[in-house]
Amino acid sequence: MAVAVILVLLAVGSVLFHLFSPWWWTPIASNWSYIDNTLIITFWITGVVFVAVVVFMAYCVLRFRHRPGNRAAYEPENRRLEWWLAIVTAVGVVAMLTPGLFVWHQFVTVPKEATEVEVVGQQWLWSFRLPGANGKLGTSETRDVDPDNPLGLNKNDPNNLDDVIVEGGELHLPVGKPVKMLLRSIDVLHDFYVPEFRAKMDMVPGMVTYFWFTPTRTGTFEILCAELCGVGHPQMRGTVVVDSEQDYQAWLEQQQTFAQLLESGKAVAAK
Ligand SMILES: [Cu+2]
């Protein structure tokens, strides 16, 4: 009896905790409400199955408890029941996976008007690069990384000279404009994650991964690394500020370009 009561309390407690938990999602700040919807579908399906299984277990514990003289019926096969379980499970799995495939397709299908922003992860720092006046990011090579060229940009590529470099500082983005995030790592696996944007993606050394999103409200958001990347992993935090167009332009004007960075490097070397 006690076991059955504990099982029912477990099911009811889980549902109540889910409904009244203070650890819920942060308010969304991007266009990816679809991602929340897929999570809600998964919560509903797994939640109903969890409650059904636990309550059924409680029922069985109570109904088929040991009584002197009772014998269990031996029934090794039940084709009808097996078919039903297989079909219901398949439908549940398909219902959970299908919305995710649609959302994934949207997540990596970048609209033409999106501007490119590069995020570079390294142990344990976030750096950023924005295209300069020509609107193009230049090429880069991890082997070119050195103290004067922290992102390993190709010095012979003229597209690089006007690129804006933010090393370990804040990234600013204008509100309401789609951005394509190009993700690069110069050492180990990292994962760029901003919970309010409902967007994250692994950064793989030697590859450029990407996704896109549109920031939908201004504010300051924390960047987390969502891939264990060494002892400094929990401290690998950054900041992204979503600005009005005006504030964004004011911030952008204060940032240094790659050409300026090379100049200051030379000046330090000359001293
Ligand atoms: Cu990391």
Side-chain angles (χ1 to χ4, degrees):
M1 183 68 189
V3 176
V5 170
I6 289 169
L7 285 171
V8 171
L9 284 178
L10 182 76
V12 173
S14 301
V15 172
L16 290 179
F17 179 80
H18 178 81
L19 292 177
F20 296 107
S21 166
W23 299 290
W24 200 235
W25 299 333
T26 50
I28 191 166
S30 85
N31 57 314
W32 291 124
S33 54
Y34 305 126
I35 289 184
D36 288 2
N37 297 340
T38 57
L39 288 177
I40 289 168
I41 293 171
T42 303
F43 269 147
W44 266 105
I45 294 174
T46 54
V48 167
V49 170
F50 173 77
V51 170
V53 167
V54 173
V55 170
F56 179 67
M57 251 161 58
Y59 166 77
C60 291
V61 165
L62 201 64
R63 174 85 172 69
F64 304 109
R65 67 183 179 277
H66 173 74
R67 285 194 205 93
N70 256 14
R71 287 199 57 157
Y74 179 61
E75 193 181 330
E77 298 251 10
N78 185 334
R79 295 210 101 189
R80 250 186 84 162
L81 183 65
E82 281 159 24
W83 267 110
W84 269 114
L85 288 176
I87 289 168
V88 171
T89 307
V91 168
V93 170
V94 168
M96 284 193 288
L97 291 184
T98 312
L101 292 175
F102 281 100
V103 176
W104 174 255
H105 177 71
Q106 291 174 320
F107 196 57
V108 294
T109 307
V110 183
K112 271 202 205 85
E113 68 275 19
T115 45
E116 294 189 330
V117 174
E118 184 182 64
V119 184
V120 181
Q122 71 185 90
Q123 289 172 321
W124 290 279
L125 191 73
W126 298 103
S127 297
F128 310 97
R129 179 159 66 118
L130 300 149
N134 70 1
K136 259 191 207 155
L137 291 171
T139 52
S140 59
E141 266 300 342
T142 302
R143 70 169 75 93
D144 292 340
V145 170
D146 66 36
D148 293 334
N149 185 5
L151 303 188
L153 304 190
N154 181 354
K155 291 177 187 169
N156 301 319
D157 183 347
N159 283 332
N160 270 324
L161 296 174
D162 66 342
D163 286 0
V164 169
I165 311 276
V166 182
E167 195 192 353
E170 286 179 352
L171 170 67
H172 286 235
L173 294 172
V175 70
K177 296 257 174 77
V179 277
K180 179 182 186 182
M181 307 301 278
L182 295 163
L183 310 175
R184 195 151 69 81
S185 165
I186 57 176
D187 42 38
V188 299
L189 284 175
H190 298 280
D191 188 302
F192 180 78
Y193 178 36
V194 179
E196 288 86 349
F197 296 159
R198 303 293 194 271
K200 67 196 276 199
M201 178 84 71
D202 271 7
M203 312 169 92
V204 185
M207 273 176 81
V208 179
T209 52
Y210 67 90
F211 64 82
W212 77 278
F213 74 103
T214 303
T216 49
R217 61 181 168 93
T218 56
T220 302
F221 307 103
E222 194 171 30
I223 304 167
L224 308 171
C225 183
E227 182 67 61
L228 186 60
C229 59
V231 290
H233 167 69
Q235 280 81 44
M236 189 168 168
R237 309 280 172 112
T239 304
V240 50
V241 180
V242 177
D243 279 332
S244 66
E245 184 65 36
Q246 209 182 358
D247 290 351
Y248 174 71
Q249 291 301 337
W251 170 83
L252 194 60
E253 275 162 28
Q254 287 173 3
Q255 304 309 308
Q256 61 175 352
T257 62
F258 185 53
Q260 286 165 343
L261 189 75
L262 288 177
E263 280 308 310
S264 63
K266 272 183 209 151
V268 170
K271 270 182 196 164

